[in-house]
Amino acid sequence: MKKASLIGVSTTTTFYMLCGVLGYAAFGSSAPGNFLTGFGFYEPFWLVDIGNVCIVVHLVGAYQVFCQPIYQFVEGCARSRWPDSAFLHAERVLRLPAVLGGGEFPVSPFRLVWRTAYVVLTAVVAMLFPFFNDFLGLIGAVSFWPLTVYFPVEMYMAQAKVRRFSPTWTWMNVLSVACLVVSVLAAAGSVQGLIKDVAGYKPFKVS
């Protein structure tokens, strides 16, 4: 876990710093949200397409990761609230033909309906409010500190039984607070960008 976190956080930090810091140093506040097409150039097309494919792959995976806790929470609450509901507790086995690889997969009608409705709803909201960069920045800022810093730090200190007010405990908490400040500032910047976008906003249209 430590090695995976080190590689993952180091890689993302490198790319974010290259795009954010160097982009701001070169273009200031006029730095575009999309470096590939923000300057009005759409060639070479293959480079832009590769960039867009990478964004789709990244966000589809991230969407699944972030949605799983929501799915589990809603489904758990619904089943505990209506324990006698046949619809909520039904499980059907889907058998795939050998041509498709075979195998049996449990399918819940409730999960199928609820998760499909959730995906459709989020897709409509995304089309209704096309503030991709600022909204993505807000989500990243809000989730960065608790998921990337606070919980891993607290789990490590609990697992390693780090003594309170020891040098390790102190510096780990200094790191956590510093990252919290960064998250708050990033969230404030994203909110300011969203407010600016809303000023000239028209539903289902992008400028």
Side-chain angles (χ1 to χ4, degrees):
M1 188 66 182
K2 182 179 178 180
K3 188 174 182 180
S5 297
L6 176 64
I7 294 173
V9 174
S10 299
T11 303
T12 54
T13 300
T14 300
F15 280 104
Y16 289 169
M17 294 298 284
L18 286 173
C19 291
V21 176
L22 296 182
Y24 185 79
F27 306 106
S29 297
S30 60
N34 187 336
F35 273 16
L36 290 178
T37 61
F39 299 104
F41 298 102
Y42 295 90
E43 294 182 357
F45 290 109
W46 62 267
L47 180 60
V48 177
D49 290 341
I50 289 176
N52 289 331
V53 168
C54 290
I55 291 173
V56 169
V57 170
H58 170 67
L59 292 182
V60 165
Y63 183 86
Q64 294 299 321
V65 170
F66 281 105
C67 284
Q68 291 307 315
I70 298 174
Y71 292 156
Q72 295 299 325
F73 175 76
V74 172
E75 291 161 13
C77 289
R79 288 185 176 125
S80 62
R81 177 69 176 82
W82 296 285
D84 299 325
S85 173
F87 176 70
L88 295 179
H89 295 273
E91 289 278 350
R92 302 215 180 357
V93 177
L94 177 64
R95 293 179 175 82
L96 294 181
V99 178
L100 299 176
E104 297 182 350
F105 299 91
V107 177
S108 166
F110 169 57
R111 284 201 305 266
L112 181 63
V113 171
W114 136 248
R115 295 187 182 195
T116 301
Y118 180 83
V119 172
V120 170
L121 177 63
T122 54
V124 171
V125 171
M127 291 185 291
L128 187 63
F129 302 104
F131 312 135
F132 178 79
N133 290 324
D134 291 317
F135 195 71
L136 196 62
L138 179 60
I139 294 174
V142 170
S143 63
F144 166 72
W145 180 70
L147 297 179
T148 308
V149 182
Y150 176 75
F151 287 123
V153 164
E154 292 299 317
M155 287 188 290
Y156 168 76
M157 291 196 295
Q159 186 269 340
K161 295 181 174 59
V162 177
R163 187 168 42 86
R164 288 176 63 84
F165 302 110
S166 66
T168 301
W169 183 92
T170 302
W171 284 111
M172 294 291 274
N173 279 282
V174 167
L175 171 67
S176 182
V177 171
C179 291
L180 173 61
V181 172
V182 171
S183 289
V184 170
L185 293 176
S190 297
V191 170
Q192 189 271 341
L194 285 171
I195 293 173
K196 182 179 177 182
D197 289 337
V198 169
Y201 162 69
K202 292 182 180 179
F204 298 105
K205 291 186 179 181
V206 293
S207 57

